[in-house]
Amino acid sequence: MYLNSEEKQTEMTHTPSSDMCEVGLSEVSEMMDLLHIDVETDVVEDRPGRGDALCSKNVLRKQRHWERQLAAKKSKRKEEKQRRKLNREHESGASADNPQLSKRVLKAITKERLAEAQSTGLKLCVDLSMTDCMSDKEISRLAGQLRRLYGSNKKATRPFHLFLTDLEEDSRLYRECIRMNEGFLNYTMDITEESCLDLFPPETVVYLTPDAEEALETVDADKVYVLGGLVDESIQKKLSFSRARELGVRTARLPIDEYMMKKNNAKNFHSKILAVNQVFDILLTLCDTGSWAETLQAWFPLGKGYVVAPDDSLPPSTQT
């Protein structure tokens, strides 16, 4: 059977290969469309999910912050309850049976005692107006003495209300105190650029200096005691006494001559000059004991060449 030319052409256009090509192209096109749709769908659907995740993280962070605050408040209430219990037991005489207190509770008790001293305690100023005549080494030593002075006050049963006067923020001593003394700016004391006379009436001020003629007999609650903040390795005489005269206030010295005597030593060395923190320790102990002999026995440095004199060698006015 023979086909004419038109029939041959028609037969060729409907061959299986041609149909397969059309089907293949159609499937590829549909697949591309599907892929295109899937990609767009993923992109659109991904954005809200990420936003939800960010919101969830913020909510969780805020919740954790709230939980920490709640825990801190509970801890503070528990600490306050334990402190009140301790005070009640102490007042009732049962404090001897107390278990060992945690550091946090002891810190809270100390902080409260210092805060109470700022309203009811004896007042003591450290006059820091003489630092210009001191070397950098002396400044560093004075910063260390102030740290030890504050440490003694923290441990005291009846702490003083402390003032650091004439301490300028741009001074060498101020910078050295911050560098050497951790938490210096959080000390429970008054740090001021003003002088003691800017804070208190002159008639209430007693400036303690080793060059004074009058010996200190007692520590009175209605007086303000001033220590000269001075480290002087070059032994410039009467600096603190001159400062007191400049202020026009009463001066007094520790009763070393009245209660102590020189002790022979190999270097034949005798000195009545004490560091600021050493004088402060003496005043703290005197307030507790009421006895100069006991206080000087406990705190006057042996290396200064003095010892407490026996009762029979004391002047009549100092014997009890």
Side-chain angles (χ1 to χ4, degrees):
M1 182 176 180
Y2 296 95
L3 298 175
N4 59 31
S5 60
E6 292 180 359
E7 289 174 337
K8 287 181 180 180
Q9 187 173 1
T10 303
E11 185 70 22
M12 290 176 62
T13 58
H14 293 281
T15 58
S17 61
S18 176
D19 292 339
M20 290 178 64
C21 289
E22 288 181 1
V23 171
L25 290 173
S26 177
E27 290 178 351
V28 170
S29 177
E30 289 178 1
M31 290 176 65
M32 290 299 294
D33 290 340
L34 289 172
L35 288 172
H36 182 66
I37 291 171
D38 289 342
V39 170
E40 290 183 345
T41 303
D42 290 343
V43 172
V44 172
E45 291 177 353
D46 183 57
R47 289 175 182 171
R50 287 189 297 178
D52 292 341
L54 290 175
C55 290
S56 298
K57 288 182 180 179
N58 288 335
V59 171
L60 288 173
R61 185 167 60 250
K62 290 180 180 178
Q63 185 175 354
R64 286 195 296 267
H65 178 68
W66 179 81
E67 289 173 350
R68 285 195 297 269
Q69 283 187 323
L70 184 62
K73 288 180 180 179
K74 287 182 178 179
S75 176
K76 188 174 181 180
R77 285 197 297 269
K78 184 178 179 181
E79 185 178 300
E80 181 68 16
K81 185 178 179 180
Q82 191 169 359
R83 183 189 60 78
R84 288 197 298 267
K85 180 181 178 182
L86 174 66
N87 287 341
R88 287 195 300 269
E89 290 177 347
H90 180 73
E91 290 172 359
S92 63
S95 59
D97 298 327
N98 280 340
Q100 180 116 16
L101 298 175
S102 67
K103 290 183 178 180
R104 178 175 292 184
V105 173
L106 290 174
K107 185 176 180 180
I109 294 172
T110 299
K111 187 174 182 179
E112 182 183 359
R113 193 163 57 237
L114 290 173
E116 184 179 353
Q118 289 195 298
S119 57
T120 62
L122 295 168
K123 297 177 178 60
L124 183 136
C125 300
V126 182
D127 177 14
L128 300 171
S129 63
M130 297 173 281
T131 56
D132 288 343
C133 62
M134 295 165 57
S135 67
D136 290 342
K137 180 180 177 182
E138 291 168 341
I139 290 288
S140 294
R141 289 184 58 190
L142 180 56
Q145 292 176 13
L146 294 176
R147 180 182 65 249
R148 289 188 286 274
L149 182 151
Y150 181 68
S152 294
N153 204 47
K154 286 174 60 177
K155 297 175 184 177
T157 305
R158 292 183 294 170
F160 278 75
H161 182 184
L162 297 178
F163 298 81
L164 300 186
T165 62
D166 295 277
L167 181 57
E168 299 178 359
E169 288 192 11
D170 60 345
S171 65
R172 289 181 299 157
L173 179 60
Y174 187 88
R175 293 192 295 269
E176 193 68 2
C177 284
I178 293 177
R179 185 186 72 84
M180 290 183 58
N181 306 338
E182 183 178 357
F184 173 73
L185 296 180
N186 295 322
Y187 281 4
T188 308
M189 61 168 63
D190 291 344
I191 301 174
T192 176
E193 295 186 357
E194 297 180 300
S195 74
C196 57
L197 291 188
D198 294 324
L199 303 175
F200 305 104
E203 61 272 14
T204 65
V205 175
V206 179
Y207 206 114
L208 299 181
T209 168
D211 300 302
E213 293 184 5
E214 178 187 351
L216 183 68
E217 296 180 1
T218 59
V219 177
D220 300 324
D222 60 345
K223 299 297 182 183
V224 180
Y225 295 91
V226 181
L227 305 181
L230 183 66
V231 175
D232 183 19
E233 295 181 346
S234 61
I235 314 297
Q236 302 179 56
K237 292 185 177 181
K238 297 189 176 182
L239 282 178
S240 58
F241 183 74
S242 298
R243 171 62 176 164
R245 294 290 294 273
E246 177 186 331
L247 294 173
V249 297
R250 174 189 164 194
T251 60
R253 57 176 172 80
L254 299 181
I256 298 172
D257 293 336
E258 287 74 10
Y259 288 92
M260 306 191 79
M261 58 187 296
K262 290 182 179 181
K263 180 182 179 181
N264 294 330
N265 56 68
K267 295 183 179 180
N268 194 30
F269 175 78
H270 303 91
S271 175
K272 303 174 185 176
I273 308 299
L274 301 178
V276 173
N277 59 294
Q278 292 172 334
V279 177
F280 183 71
D281 285 334
I282 288 174
L283 294 178
L284 275 177
T285 305
L286 178 67
C287 291
D288 287 337
T289 66
S291 167
W292 274 113
E294 185 177 342
T295 299
L296 294 172
Q297 179 72 43
W299 286 106
F300 200 89
L302 294 176
K304 296 292 182 178
Y306 283 85
V307 293
V308 174
D311 288 342
D312 56 3
S313 64
L314 294 175
S317 59
T318 61
Q319 296 180 13
T320 57

